[in-house]
Amino acid sequence: MPKVFLGLLAVVVIGGLAVGGQQLAKRGTKEAVENAIENQIEASTGTDAQVDIKNGNVAVTSSSGTSTASYGGNVSLPSDFPGDVPTPQGATLTTAYGGRESGKATYGLIYTLSGGVVTNAATTYQNQLQSAGFAIESTGTYAANGSSVSGFTATKGIWKVAVAVTSSSDATNLTLTVTEEAATNMGY
């Protein structure tokens, strides 16, 4: 489960850096913003990093791997996103992350859904994954104070998918974290 957490964390951190970087870039130079983010990554990880912010996309390259993130209006799947993993029908992709570390791929996607109840959205995507040959491993739902979360994990071959569908009065979002797992870790 740590890779799932790291993938979700990467989506939030890279997306946050990108949005903050774009805002800072309006006030300063692009290079100054990229350098500030590079310094923060290097201080946190102890590895050299190169950051490039361009048109709603952030690319980070370091000795431990490469990752890219896009956010905002014209978001697309990472170019090497696995074709085995279906994308949610009727959803709008708002954030996408893709990266490799130690030769293994990790992707994070955030979709906005219009209408529908969280449980219905989770069940619909669960059915999509099962139709694509994925086995559902675990599921859970929680609701309190007008917000709800429904989540599950699924596997197929080397791919593990963790899904969280959240809803509040403002929006319903579906977050996917897709990780490449070693076959031996999955009992094969």
Side-chain angles (χ1 to χ4, degrees):
M1 203 63 166
K3 280 192 168 202
V4 170
F5 174 74
L6 289 174
L8 286 172
L9 180 63
V11 169
V12 172
V13 170
I14 296 293
L17 288 172
V19 171
Q22 291 291 339
Q23 293 302 314
L24 287 172
K26 292 179 182 178
R27 294 184 215 131
T29 68
K30 177 179 175 280
E31 292 80 18
V33 172
E34 290 172 348
N35 287 337
I37 295 170
E38 287 169 4
N39 291 336
Q40 185 63 40
I41 292 170
E42 290 166 1
S44 299
T45 65
T47 61
D48 288 334
Q50 290 296 117
V51 174
D52 185 24
I53 301 172
K54 206 182 306 185
N55 300 323
N57 295 299
V58 177
V60 179
T61 304
S62 74
S63 58
S64 64
T66 300
S67 55
T68 60
S70 59
Y71 60 92
N74 294 320
V75 177
S76 59
L77 290 173
S79 61
D80 60 347
F81 187 78
D84 287 356
V85 180
T87 56
Q89 296 172 348
T92 303
L93 184 59
T94 58
T95 303
Y97 161 85
R100 279 196 179 275
E101 189 163 337
S102 301
K104 300 215 177 187
T106 300
Y107 305 92
L109 309 172
I110 300 175
Y111 289 88
T112 299
L113 305 166
S114 56
V117 177
V118 167
T119 305
N120 293 342
T123 300
T124 298
Y125 188 61
Q126 209 174 79
N127 291 338
Q128 273 187 264
L129 283 169
Q130 286 175 315
S131 293
F134 280 80
I136 305 303
E137 292 187 327
S138 61
T139 63
T141 302
Y142 174 78
N145 301 321
S147 295
S148 59
V149 177
S150 185
F152 63 91
T153 59
T155 59
K156 176 183 175 185
I158 62 169
W159 299 111
K160 181 167 191 147
V161 180
V163 179
V165 181
T166 58
S167 181
S168 65
S169 58
D170 297 336
T172 299
N173 293 309
L174 187 145
T175 302
L176 299 179
T177 302
V178 179
T179 55
E180 184 177 355
E181 302 285 328
T184 55
N185 291 343
M186 296 172 34
Y188 294 106

